[in-house]
Structures are given as C-alpha cells and as structure tokens.
Amino acid sequence: MNGKQFLEMLSRLPARVWLQAILALIGFVILAVLGFAVIAGVAAVVLIVLLGFKAKTWILNLFRRPPPPEPPARQDRKVIDVQYEIVDRSNDRTPRN
C-alpha cells in the first residue's frame, strides 16, 4: 500500500470515525495539558513548602540572641621539648592497689 492508496482509504472513512478521531485527539491534548499542570502544581507545592521551612528558620534566627563571640586565639604559645618513657607493666609482679 503506497501513500496514495492510504489517503484514498482514509477519505472513504465515514464521518463518525473522523469525529471520533478528532475527539480522541482533543481528549489526548487535554489530558497532556492537565498532566503537565499536575506535575507543575506538585512542583510548585514542594517549592512553597521548602521555602516555608527556610523562611521559618530565618524568622526564628532573627529573634534569637547571637552566640557569644569566641575568645581570640592565644598568641603567646610556647613549644616545650618533652621526653617520655613507655612503661610496660605486663611483666610487673607487684600487686596493684
């Protein structure tokens, strides 16, 4: 079946079939638009909820007292050389208190 025969077959279809096809196409478009609207609506609700939580935190932080400033780091640090000895008490026979 070539393109010309296909078009001739379509032209012989009754008007009822054409009306049903047009209504199906319109219904499909409406469902697609509503589907996108639902997706966009859900995304908008999620965005509003997230922004609401952020706004709540921001407003609460406005009325809280700021934390006390940290003391400045000490500038008079001295490095001391230390010697240490490791004592192994596993072989010690004296009782512990």
Side-chain angles (χ1 to χ4, degrees):
M1 175 184 293
N2 61 21
K4 186 176 180 183
Q5 289 174 339
F6 181 71
L7 290 176
E8 286 177 6
M9 183 186 73
L10 285 179
S11 67
R12 292 188 184 133
L13 289 174
R16 177 181 55 87
V17 174
W18 281 101
L19 288 176
Q20 287 176 345
I22 290 171
L23 289 176
L25 182 63
I26 291 172
F28 177 75
V29 169
I30 289 173
L31 286 176
V33 169
L34 288 177
F36 286 124
V38 167
I39 292 170
V42 169
V45 167
V46 168
L47 184 65
I48 288 171
V49 167
L50 288 175
L51 289 176
F53 281 124
K54 290 279 192 181
K56 175 186 167 190
T57 305
W58 178 71
I59 289 172
L60 289 176
N61 285 336
L62 282 177
F63 297 109
R64 286 188 185 147
R65 279 188 265 157
E70 295 199 17
R74 293 178 57 183
Q75 299 297 328
D76 59 339
R77 295 183 184 178
K78 294 181 183 178
V79 178
I80 301 172
D81 189 17
V82 177
Q83 292 183 355
Y84 60 93
E85 179 181 351
I86 298 175
V87 178
D88 184 16
R89 293 191 167 229
S90 61
N91 296 330
D92 194 4
R93 302 263 184 216
T94 59
R96 297 183 189 169
N97 292 343

